[in-house]
Amino acid sequence: MHRIIVGIVAVLALQLGLASGPQAQTLEAVKARGQLLCGVNEWLVGFASRSASGEWSGFDVDFCRAVSAAVLGDAAKVAFVPLSASDRFEALRSGKIDILSRNSTWTLSRELDYGLSFAAITYFDGQGFMVPRSAKVNSALELGGSKVCVLKDTTTQHNLADYFEANSMKFEAVLVGSAAEALERYKKKDCLVLTSDVSQLYAQRLDLADAGEHLILPDVISKEPLGPAVRLDDPKWRNLVQWVHFAMVDAEELGVSKATLDQAKDSTRPAIRRLLGTEGKLGSGLGLANDWAAKVVGQVGNYGEVFERNLGDATKLGIPRGLNQLWSLGGVQYAPPVE
């Protein structure tokens, strides 16, 4: 009887251990390393690109800098790992990177198949089409029978097939392995149409010598909620990454920017004081210093500043805020308050 009881206890202990087993401690690993490992696009102007001197810039790049500022107090302590579309999720799952910030669409199958979790929607996008103006096409509904360059094994490929089937149109998919290859095939006229996220089409058009002779059609055929992904087994890290994004959005809504940060630290508004850590102790709950959000804004900027610096009207891309405008200004960027 004693052995039976011991055996039952052992089994229960094992089951409990499996249910609440040790989770990946990404935050502690990043702090111990003194560096954040961030997976980014190999080359996508506005989101992630590298200068001749090796300096990274872009919307997704800046998000990783914001996480580094929050965790390590220094936005510069990031090692950027360029990843292709086909190897990005495995790099995250295997621990090669701490966070994937690479214009990736949040889908259920990706979370289930790759054991990851998307922390936030940092950019609301949609799939579109680019064609030469000489084709005299004004709508995606006029693309029946076309050859379309599309990145294989992506949501883009599935959306393309669904759209043409739903509209009873035929097409020929020209499957490619990278965005660079897609653009090269388009330049060579191996396809009449290039399809991707609209933001990526804006970036790719800049690489065309005759950029003005190419039209991005107004049709948007999918929802593409883009955002950073982390491993599924570390909810503490996911929560932290999520709140970095929320803090940047809240900072913009509250009028707290790099330029106004010093003045904001003296604010008597409770919402601003909680955000910047001059009131309360919310930082400790995330495993961070109390002024973590102030470091994010001071070193990287609020959401609007990051958007305009990399993608907005003053850049070569000139992408309108659109859905990525604050909810109070007609967009859908909305964040819970830091309180």
Side-chain angles (χ1 to χ4, degrees):
M1 179 64 70
H2 175 72
R3 289 180 180 178
I4 293 174
I5 293 173
V6 170
I8 293 173
V9 171
V11 170
L12 289 174
L14 177 61
Q15 291 176 337
L16 288 172
L18 290 172
S20 58
Q23 297 165 338
Q25 298 298 313
T26 311
L27 175 59
E28 288 73 14
V30 171
K31 286 182 175 180
R33 189 191 308 126
Q35 187 178 55
L36 177 73
L37 303 179
C38 173
V40 294
N41 200 301
E42 296 165 298
W43 181 268
L44 182 57
V45 175
F47 287 86
S49 59
R50 190 165 27 179
S51 69
S53 63
E55 180 69 19
W56 283 94
S57 63
F59 182 85
D60 290 336
V61 165
D62 277 348
F63 184 76
C64 280
R65 290 193 173 120
V67 174
S68 180
V71 174
L72 300 171
D74 188 342
K77 291 184 176 180
V78 186
F80 295 103
V81 181
L83 297 167
S84 68
S86 59
D87 62 15
R88 54 184 162 170
F89 298 123
E90 182 56 35
L92 177 62
R93 181 165 62 177
S94 67
K96 182 179 179 180
I97 54 176
D98 302 311
I99 180 174
L100 178 68
S101 184
R102 188 202 178 282
N103 60 300
S104 300
T105 302
W106 186 344
T107 70
L108 173 61
S109 61
R110 284 178 170 174
E111 292 200 334
L112 295 177
D113 294 345
Y114 294 101
L116 55 85
S117 178
F118 283 85
I121 301 173
T122 54
Y123 189 94
F124 290 90
D125 208 347
Q127 185 174 332
F129 301 95
M130 181 165 68
V131 296
R133 290 186 184 274
S134 60
K136 300 187 184 304
V137 171
N138 297 305
S139 167
L141 293 174
E142 300 173 39
L143 296 177
S146 299
K147 289 185 176 181
V148 185
C149 285
V150 59
L151 198 61
K152 64 182 178 180
D153 300 326
T154 61
T155 56
T156 309
Q157 182 183 349
H158 300 308
N159 294 337
L160 175 67
D162 288 349
Y163 179 77
F164 275 78
E165 181 180 354
N167 288 286
S168 302
M169 298 190 300
K170 294 183 178 180
F171 76 102
E172 181 180 338
V174 179
L175 301 178
V176 297
S178 69
E181 182 186 351
L183 190 60
E184 283 304 311
R185 298 290 294 272
Y186 178 76
K187 287 179 183 178
K188 293 176 181 177
K189 300 183 179 179
D190 291 340
C191 53
L192 175 72
V193 186
L194 178 59
T195 186
S196 186
D197 293 347
V198 171
S199 60
Q200 183 158 318
L201 293 177
Y202 271 93
Q204 290 177 302
R205 186 167 63 172
L206 290 177
D207 287 332
L208 297 172
D210 57 345
E213 296 304 313
H214 298 268
L215 175 68
I216 297 173
L217 298 177
D219 312 76
V220 177
I221 68 168
S222 71
K223 296 184 295 183
E224 303 295 331
L226 310 181
V230 297
R231 285 180 290 278
L232 183 63
D233 62 355
D234 197 343
K236 179 180 178 181
W237 179 246
R238 181 195 184 280
N239 198 40
L240 186 156
V241 172
Q242 173 181 254
W243 278 99
V244 169
H245 169 64
F246 288 160
M248 295 171 76
V249 173
D250 278 330
E252 182 184 8
E253 186 175 343
L254 292 168
V256 180
S257 65
K258 293 180 74 171
T260 65
L261 180 61
D262 288 340
Q263 180 181 353
K265 288 179 180 178
D266 295 326
S267 174
T268 58
R269 292 181 61 184
I272 292 178
R273 293 179 63 81
R274 287 192 294 268
L275 174 69
L276 300 182
T278 56
E279 178 180 299
K281 297 181 179 180
L282 293 173
S284 61
L286 293 171
L288 303 175
N290 218 40
D291 63 346
W292 64 273
K295 290 175 181 174
V296 169
V297 175
Q299 296 180 38
V300 182
N302 64 33
Y303 180 87
E305 288 178 293
V306 171
F307 187 100
E308 293 303 326
R309 178 167 64 241
N310 294 295
L311 307 170
D313 292 337
T315 70
K316 293 184 296 182
L317 290 170
I319 300 176
R321 281 285 292 267
L323 291 176
N324 293 292
Q325 184 58 270
L326 295 177
W327 69 278
S328 55
L329 297 175
V332 294
Q333 279 294 355
Y334 185 101
V338 179
E339 62 179 39

